[in-house]
Amino acid sequence: MKDRRPFSFRFTLQFTFLMTLAWCSIQCVNPQITADGIVFWRDIHTLQDRHLGKLSYGEDRLQIARFDTLLKPAEDFVLSGRDLDGTVWGSQNGGCLRIPAGVSVSLSQFRFIGKAQADTLIIVEGGTLTLEGCELRGPAGGGIFIRNGGRLIIGNSELLNLSRAIDLQNSVLELEHCNITGISGDAVRLAGSGTHSINGLSIANIDGAGISVTGASSVEFKNISVNKVSQSGFEFVQTNHVHLDSVKIEEAGENGINLSRCDTIQFSNMSIEKCQGSGISGRDTRKLRVSQVSTAYNHQNGIEIIQFDSLMIDAVRSRKNGVAGVVIQSGSGFEISQTDASENVTSGLQITDVSGGSIMATRVNLNENMGLSAGIEISKMDSITLSDSFIGLNLHDGLRISDTRIATVSRNDFQKNGRTGIDLNRLDVANFVQNQLTENLTGADISEVDSLVHSQNRYEKNQNGLVSSGSHISSDFNQYYLQQVNGIQLVNSKFTSFGDEALGNAIALTGSKSDVVWYNGNFGENDLGISLEQSTLNMQSSIFSGGKRSVAINQSPFTTIQNCQFARQSEMAVAVSHSQALRITNNAVKDLPNGFDFRSTSDIEFTHNDLERVSGTALGWTQNGSGSIAYNLLIENGTAIKLSNNSGKTIVENNTFIENQTCLAGGPPPLLSVGYNIFQSNASILDAPGLLSQNGEWSNWTYNCFWQNAGIPQGLINPQAGNFIADPVFYDGQYLRTGSPCLAVGPGKRLVGGRGLSPALKPVTD
């Protein structure tokens, strides 16, 4: 078509264009947007269409100019590669696109190719660059460098095979749905103050860090995938208000995420796997929250946080890591809940030196950790609360707490741990309530605890139930269920086993500092119910049924056993040795081979007990110091009392002996007083003359009643000593009827026997 514009106009336009090209060929060394609004690129390759109105080109350069209005600062320059039909902009000699402060440039559907090693394809000096659907490619050089308050808005673009994809200094990044691959340095580096947001980014095959952020004021990253980076997936240094959501990191050469001196961080919906370091590693952080995060197969720890203020971990899975699942050290204010830290090489959860703060752990799952430490290992704490958690199948301990002020452990399930379910050591206060301990080598091992509350716990099939050393157990042991081999201070407790399996000690105490108070315990089929050594026990209203021995006490003074029942043990009820100041009262022993056995013990009060149908010795008394056996009922036993080589005075008085094979047996005591007892229907009163006093007389037997016994020694019935033969006139086999000759005997009109007048016959008084 013929150009019908006036010749003068056409000549002026062509002259201006040619002069501009001449000026560019001389002046365009470094590409730039000049003050008069002309944009130059150097070394641009082919353009498919040479008739684009606002574009003109030469062999090695391209000029873009706005002829209608010159491009001024703060004005927009918009160009679409769609209009250029596959335009490629590149550089061979160090050229690049430069955008100065105050200028906004938007480019879409363009490819940038850098070929020189020192190249940076785009430099923004404080201006704004918007890229949409673009490609920036190496094989060398940098991608985008922005500084001095610049702004990069990039979406649906690819950055490939560069030395660094995006590098910002004191600028702002807004990125959506991009792909960065094959970078020889860090993929994204954000330094200095600024706010950054990323939504949708894939990073892969990076010889550096995935994203490195230093000094930013706000970071919002989500929907990011980082795979195969030689350093950390993410690095945050001195950065505030970091939020990562929906992030996946695999095969980082260092840590998955590395934090240092950051404030207010939130990680959620993340997966971090196969990192050479830890999944998440944090130092000097404040206000960190980690929720719905999975860390697995990392060579070091799943999560490692050191020196922190306020940390919350919720709904985290940290499994199969090379060291520990979660490591928390040197901080204040820690809560963990709904977390699974299992199958790690050493331990599931390690917490150390959180002084001045507290730990709240709920619904935590820690099992199958393989190291010699515990599933949970806690030390140097101010306060720890662990509840509603499962800790099982760990190679060593389930839970270990040491050097801590207050520990509360409640409603947890400890199962099949290789050493102990729970190990408490050097605590001020421990509250151990409503826990289940099953098939551990030892259910609970408690040592050097100043004050222990132990209540409503259930022990099943442990080799040892509770082992305590050097502790002050001052509370009730309440509502227990123990079924193992070896058994302390209980309230409403039940200790039983399934079948005939005998496994260990229910409770063992060593060196406890003060009274162990134990009420209403129920023990069944334990090899040994309670083992007490160098400790003090106050046990009341407990039931021991089955097993071998109920209680073993050694070197433990000031022990009380009261209102307890012992039945069907295969060896004996209670064995005591090398102790002093024992009070054994109002207990019932029935259907056992042996009842109580005291050896090398002094100051014993054995009173108001019922010992029935013991086939061997109901009460053994060997090499003891002083002691009193009084107001007891001994019925149908093999040997009711066996006394051997005792050094102190033994008083046997106000007891009732009925249908025993032998009432008293043993060797010669130097001092023995037998008085005010009832002997009825026994096969033998005694089996050795050594039970006489040292001068061979019966003067030490006084005011005893004998009725229908066989084998009464000659001279024993001595009126001068007050011994007599008479029917005691029992009301119900134990208590006496009104008019019994045993109700008022001797100078003081004392009762003879252990029970007195039947309560049914006593007058009722208002």
Side-chain angles (χ1 to χ4, degrees):
M1 179 182 294
K2 186 176 180 180
D3 190 347
R4 298 184 180 276
R5 291 178 295 181
F7 174 79
S8 60
F9 178 84
R10 285 182 286 143
F11 175 80
T12 302
L13 180 61
Q14 292 174 0
F15 178 79
T16 302
F17 179 68
L18 292 173
M19 291 300 293
T20 301
L21 285 178
W23 184 88
C24 290
S25 64
I26 298 172
Q27 301 295 329
C28 187
V29 178
N30 293 316
Q32 57 185 315
I33 296 181
T34 62
D36 59 0
I38 298 178
V39 184
F40 296 101
W41 283 270
R42 181 182 176 86
D43 300 327
I44 302 304
H45 289 189
T46 25
L47 294 175
Q48 301 297 323
D49 190 343
R50 301 187 178 188
H51 305 285
L52 296 175
K54 295 181 182 179
L55 295 175
S56 59
Y57 67 95
E59 291 299 321
D60 62 353
R61 58 187 175 276
L62 172 69
Q63 170 188 301
I64 302 175
R66 298 187 64 170
F67 296 104
D68 49 348
T69 330
L70 293 179
L71 184 64
K72 303 295 184 181
E75 289 186 333
D76 293 341
F77 177 73
V78 180
L79 188 63
S80 174
R82 298 178 198 171
D83 303 331
L84 304 180
D85 189 17
T87 300
V88 177
W89 292 1
S91 170
Q92 293 182 356
N93 301 311
C96 63
L97 165 62
R98 292 180 182 269
I99 302 175
V103 174
S104 175
V105 174
S106 296
L107 302 175
S108 62
Q109 307 292 326
F110 277 95
R111 296 176 65 200
F112 295 80
I113 298 178
K115 295 184 178 180
Q117 182 66 37
D119 267 359
T120 297
L121 292 175
I122 302 174
I123 296 176
V124 180
E125 298 279 4
T128 298
L129 173 65
T130 301
L131 299 178
E132 177 67 27
C134 294
E135 177 182 317
L136 287 80
R137 179 185 293 273
I144 303 170
F145 176 59
I146 300 181
R147 61 189 174 188
N148 300 328
R151 187 182 191 91
L152 173 62
I153 303 171
I154 181 170
N156 300 297
S157 299
E158 291 190 331
L159 297 94
L160 312 171
N161 304 324
L162 299 160
S163 61
R164 183 174 300 130
I166 298 174
D167 191 342
L168 271 67
Q169 294 182 6
N170 298 310
S171 299
V172 175
L173 172 66
E174 297 178 23
L175 182 150
E176 288 191 359
H177 309 299
C178 292
N179 177 40
I180 301 176
T181 304
I183 308 301
S184 60
D186 296 342
V188 178
R189 179 181 294 176
L190 308 174
S193 62
T195 61
H196 310 293
S197 67
I198 296 176
N199 182 10
L201 174 61
S202 175
I203 297 174
N205 301 315
I206 308 299
D207 190 11
I211 299 178
S212 175
V213 183
T214 302
S217 57
S218 177
V219 172
E220 185 82 19
F221 294 166
K222 59 183 178 180
N223 298 313
I224 299 176
S225 172
V226 178
N227 187 23
K228 295 183 180 178
V229 296
S230 67
Q231 298 177 17
S232 295
F234 291 82
E235 292 184 354
F236 296 97
V237 179
Q238 292 182 315
T239 299
N240 300 330
H241 302 286
V242 178
H243 183 198
L244 266 61
D245 181 58
S246 301
V247 171
K248 183 176 182 179
I249 304 170
E250 288 190 359
E251 298 186 52
E254 296 176 1
N255 300 314
I257 299 176
N258 198 45
L259 296 168
S260 178
R261 304 188 301 280
C262 296
D263 193 338
T264 312
I265 308 105
Q266 182 173 347
F267 298 153
S268 58
N269 302 305
M270 297 171 58
S271 172
I272 307 171
E273 296 186 359
K274 301 176 184 177
C275 299
Q276 295 298 312
S278 297
I280 299 174
S281 179
R283 300 287 192 280
D284 297 322
T285 61
R286 292 185 68 251
K287 299 179 182 178
L288 171 60
R289 177 165 185 168
V290 181
S291 64
Q292 297 183 338
V293 172
S294 173
T295 63
Y297 302 103
N298 299 291
H299 283 217
Q300 297 296 317
N301 303 304
I303 299 175
E304 177 187 77
I305 307 297
I306 298 175
Q307 294 179 336
F308 64 91
D309 181 6
S310 183
L311 170 62
M312 178 178 290
I313 295 177
D314 177 59
V316 167
R317 287 171 58 88
S318 188
R319 300 166 61 93
K320 299 182 179 181
N321 296 288
V323 183
V326 180
V327 175
I328 308 299
Q329 183 177 336
S330 302
S332 176
F334 172 47
E335 294 187 18
I336 182 169
S337 62
Q338 302 184 77
T339 292
D340 183 353
S342 303
E343 300 180 71
N344 299 287
V345 171
T346 59
S347 62
L349 174 60
Q350 295 179 8
I351 306 172
T352 305
D353 196 20
V354 185
S355 59
S358 63
I359 292 178
M360 177 72 69
T362 59
R363 298 184 298 280
V364 178
N365 179 30
L366 298 109
N367 62 80
E368 298 186 64
N369 296 291
M370 302 305 295
L372 294 179
S373 55
I376 306 179
E377 187 165 5
I378 299 168
S379 64
K380 299 180 181 178
M381 284 292 306
D382 182 71
S383 174
I384 165 69
T385 299
L386 175 68
S387 64
D388 303 293
S389 300
F390 176 80
I391 299 101
L393 300 168
N394 297 289
L395 184 63
H396 212 243
D397 300 325
L399 168 64
R400 185 187 301 162
I401 304 176
S402 63
D403 300 302
T404 293
R405 195 171 68 86
I406 300 174
T408 299
V409 181
S410 62
R411 301 186 304 278
N412 301 291
D413 191 351
F414 300 89
Q415 290 191 21
K416 297 181 180 179
N417 295 290
R419 200 180 78 102
T420 65
I422 178 170
D423 186 338
L424 303 178
N425 188 19
R426 298 186 300 277
L427 276 64
D428 291 347
V429 177
N431 301 305
F432 191 56
V433 181
Q434 294 181 339
N435 297 286
Q436 170 82 37
L437 300 100
T438 305
E439 296 187 62
N440 305 286
L441 181 63
T442 297
D445 189 339
I446 300 173
S447 60
E448 298 184 45
V449 176
D450 290 342
S451 178
L452 171 65
V453 175
H454 193 290
S455 177
Q456 303 180 48
N457 298 292
R458 182 183 179 96
Y459 292 75
E460 298 183 47
K461 297 183 179 179
N462 301 287
Q463 182 69 20
N464 300 286
L466 172 61
V467 178
S468 180
S469 174
S471 298
H472 179 175
I473 305 175
S474 59
S475 64
D476 297 334
F477 282 58
N478 187 19
Q479 295 180 9
Y480 281 70
Y481 185 101
L482 279 80
Q483 76 182 83
Q484 51 272 331
V485 185
N486 298 318
I488 197 161
Q489 168 172 321
L490 304 176
V491 176
N492 300 324
S493 303
K494 186 177 182 181
F495 289 57
T496 64
S497 69
F498 300 126
D500 297 324
E501 185 176 17
L503 299 176
N505 298 314
I507 299 178
L509 293 180
T510 302
S512 294
K513 297 177 181 178
S514 188
D515 288 346
V516 175
V517 181
W518 190 337
Y519 298 98
N520 302 324
N522 189 331
F523 295 75
E525 302 298 338
N526 300 294
D527 217 14
L528 175 55
I530 301 173
S531 175
L532 195 71
E533 185 164 348
Q534 298 178 354
S535 303
T536 298
L537 171 66
N538 180 357
M539 182 174 68
Q540 302 184 30
S541 305
S542 297
I543 298 174
F544 296 83
S545 178
K548 292 183 179 180
R549 289 184 295 168
S550 298
V551 181
I553 300 172
N554 182 43
Q555 299 181 38
S556 298
F558 308 106
T559 289
T560 298
I561 300 176
Q562 183 176 359
N563 299 322
C564 295
Q565 298 180 34
F566 303 88
R568 298 187 296 105
Q569 279 76 41
S570 62
E571 291 183 1
M572 69 175 59
V574 178
V576 181
S577 63
H578 300 92
S579 301
Q580 63 180 355
L582 273 69
R583 306 293 178 263
I584 314 297
T585 182
N586 289 310
N587 301 289
V589 178
K590 297 181 180 180
D591 302 305
L592 279 74
N594 298 285
F596 285 80
D597 185 76
F598 295 90
R599 295 175 182 269
S600 303
T601 297
S602 62
D603 190 12
I604 308 168
E605 290 185 9
F606 190 86
T607 62
H608 299 92
N609 300 290
D610 291 353
L611 295 91
E612 301 183 29
R613 298 185 298 277
V614 177
S615 59
T617 300
L619 176 58
W621 202 274
T622 304
Q623 295 180 343
N624 296 315
S626 60
S628 173
I629 304 170
Y631 298 98
N632 301 291
L633 183 65
L634 300 103
I635 301 176
E636 299 182 37
N637 302 295
T639 297
I641 300 175
K642 185 175 182 180
L643 301 151
S644 302
N645 301 315
N646 296 289
S647 59
K649 184 176 182 179
T650 304
I651 298 174
V652 181
E653 63 182 16
N654 288 102
N655 301 288
T656 300
F657 297 83
I658 301 175
E659 298 184 7
N660 298 285
Q661 291 299 311
T662 300
C663 294
L664 290 99
L671 296 172
L672 174 65
S673 174
V674 182
Y676 296 93
N677 301 287
I678 296 176
F679 297 88
Q680 176 173 314
S681 304
N682 298 288
S684 173
I685 301 299
L686 51 84
D687 72 343
L691 291 174
L692 304 174
S693 62
Q694 289 181 328
N695 58 13
E697 298 180 355
W698 295 101
S699 58
N700 57 328
W701 288 63
T702 59
Y703 300 104
N704 297 288
C705 175
F706 298 89
W707 182 248
Q708 296 180 343
N709 298 285
I712 299 177
Q714 185 176 1
L716 182 57
I717 308 303
N718 182 354
Q720 292 181 351
N723 299 309
F724 61 97
I725 297 175
D727 184 353
V729 192
F730 286 110
Y731 174 78
D732 55 5
Q734 298 182 21
Y735 292 95
L736 302 174
R737 287 183 178 274
T738 304
S740 168
C742 297
L743 289 174
V745 176
K749 304 298 182 181
R750 289 178 52 183
L751 171 71
V752 174
R755 290 295 183 264
L757 186 66
S758 172
L761 301 176
K762 291 181 179 179
V764 177
T765 58
D766 294 334

